[in-house]
Amino acid sequence: MTFEELKITRQFLNAIDDCGYSAPSPIQEKAIPRISAGQDVIGIAQTGTGKTAAFALPVLQKVKYAQDLPPRALVLVPTKELAMQVYEVFITLAKYTDIRCIALYGGVGPKTQLEKLSNGVDIIIGTPGRFLDLYLRGGIVTKKIKTMVLDECDRMMDMGFMPQLRNILEVIPTKRQNLLFSATFPERVERLSEEFLLWPTKIEVSPQATPVASVKQLKTPVPNIRTKLHFVSYLLEEVYKEDRALVFVRTKEQAEQISKYLERTISGGVRGMHSNKAQNTRLHSMSLFREGAIRVLVSTDVASRGIDVPETKVVINCTVPTNSADYVHRIGRTGRAFREGVAHTLYDPSEKMYLSAIESHLPSKNEIIDSPMPDSIPIEETPPWEAKQMAKDIDYQKRKADPNYKGAFHEKKRKESGKSGDSRRRRK
Ligand code: AMP
């Protein structure tokens, strides 16, 4: 199929040509005709599938040209980074039109955004918080909004944006077209969709929570964090020494410490991305990474949203995510724009259960292949604090998996109370 067959008009075809897209991606093929026909659409598609253009093109076609002052389309996204990235897609595709787009996000003063809004915009791309903030300041006239897009809806729910979304739904016209995009379709997203979409058409490009097929997935058991660090350095220095890589960790402290460690041990430049870093620092790191000025980003799940760098060759999970949606999101950072990628997960004994749970959610064709640790990597001893942490984590997971599991702690208590019971009996 071609973009012409999707009835994309000339000025957008020219912009698509400039982007170098030769044919529509599957989500574009399926979503564009339905959105153009005015239907409410639920699109289940991961990042990297071309989903942004799948809604941007028909929305732009509907908006057509600059008109009046108030906006006519609203795209809501979970993070500032994603707002900027989606905004880029819109302005790139709108290049041969006079359509005015604006990105609204926090972390910067509202003045410039309010000024731009008062000069007239056609499409708003923003985070729910900033949109509401500017609306409450009287900076946004909502009555002309005819299309609303919720992008990365699952993530928006995870980040607790539900109350803001509800408020926004109350202040925009009820007669409008709704588009909902999400990488996964958990129950709470389904409930939200039932709340405000009208007879939606559901489009799925790949089964729910399926990593893109162009990503080769590997896993290696590693006893502790210090050995993991040796292994990560080895992968970055020996195996993927020329490649752009993302290293995922669980906490901001880990992101900070591990990026500092890698800065000392590997070449090519490393930066840490986590929510304690100022927005501008994060954006700067991301653009350095995009340009290839640095080779490695160490990131937490939240900070990684919106990283769209098609050259990312490898994703290393230095810690295993605790749910399969995060896993799919993480590894979706590679294999983007139809390139080959590798996702390598390192798991310690306490992460085995998390990984098994993730694997049970993946379709069989998406198998994670065992990849043994090379002999050259020194194996460190697990320090007592880490062993204790792991034991506690395993206990927690077992408790969650089985409500009847009493746990090591409980066992001990029972034994103790048993002892006192005995002594009571003896006293009798
Ligand atoms: P997205 O899923 O929107 O995050 O897009 C992921 C990447 O795919 C971006 O780098 C886009 O520029 C690229 N892309 C989008 N549509 C196409 C297409 N039809 N052909 C090739 N690349 C595309």
Side-chain angles (χ1 to χ4, degrees), residues 3 20-25 28 46-53 85 308 310 336-338:
F3 282 106
Y21 306 164
S22 48
S25 68
Q28 292 162 359
Q46 299 147 244
T47 45
T49 52
K51 70 170 169 71
T52 316
Q85 189 192 312
D308 175 26
R336 286 166 87 76
F338 321 102

Side-chain angles (χ1 to χ4, degrees), residues 184 209 321-330 354 357-359 361-362:
T184 56
T322 50
N323 63 66
S324 61
D326 275 342
Y327 177 82
V328 173
H329 275 130
R330 283 184 185 190
Y354 290 129
I358 290 166
E359 287 178 304
H361 281 95
L362 298 173

Side-chain angles (χ1 to χ4, degrees), residues 32-93:
I32 292 173
R34 289 171 170 105
I35 301 175
S36 302
Q39 293 175 5
D40 276 8
V41 167
I42 299 172
I44 309 298
Q46 299 147 244
T47 45
T49 52
K51 70 170 169 71
T52 316
F55 62 77
L57 280 167
V59 168
L60 284 163
Q61 292 221 125
K62 194 168 160 191
V63 167
K64 229 174 184 165
Y65 43 75
Q67 197 187 336
D68 303 332
L69 295 182
R72 284 170 288 150
L74 169 63
V75 182
L76 292 170
V77 300
T79 63
K80 172 179 181 174
E81 285 83 359
L82 192 62
M84 299 187 76
Q85 189 192 312
V86 171
Y87 170 77
E88 282 299 320
V89 174
F90 269 86
I91 56 165
T92 309
L93 293 172

Side-chain angles (χ1 to χ4, degrees), residues 330-383:
R330 283 184 185 190
I331 79 163
R333 306 288 122 195
T334 180
R336 286 166 87 76
F338 321 102
R339 294 172 200 233
E340 296 278 309
V342 180
H344 200 137
T345 302
L346 318 187
Y347 63 101
D348 69 28
S350 71
E351 294 171 315
K352 216 172 162 172
M353 262 175 95
Y354 290 129
L355 188 60
S356 309
I358 290 166
E359 287 178 304
S360 69
H361 281 95
L362 298 173
S364 52
K365 68 176 170 38
N366 280 121
E367 197 192 346
I368 311 181
I369 303 157
D370 275 308
S371 167
M373 195 158 65
D375 294 338
S376 64
I377 293 167
I379 296 182
E380 301 283 348
E381 233 179 88
T382 309

Side-chain angles (χ1 to χ4, degrees), residues 191-204:
R191 257 185 277 129
L192 175 77
S193 70
E194 280 164 4
E195 234 176 82
F196 79 96
L197 274 79
L198 197 63
W199 324 118
T201 313
K202 191 165 159 202
I203 299 168
E204 257 176 273

Side-chain angles (χ1 to χ4, degrees), residues 2-21:
T2 62
F3 282 106
E4 280 89 345
E5 285 170 307
L6 292 176
K7 302 205 175 67
I8 302 292
T9 47
R10 181 44 52 197
Q11 69 263 47
F12 298 114
L13 288 176
N14 290 343
I16 290 170
D17 271 350
D18 292 351
C19 294
Y21 306 164

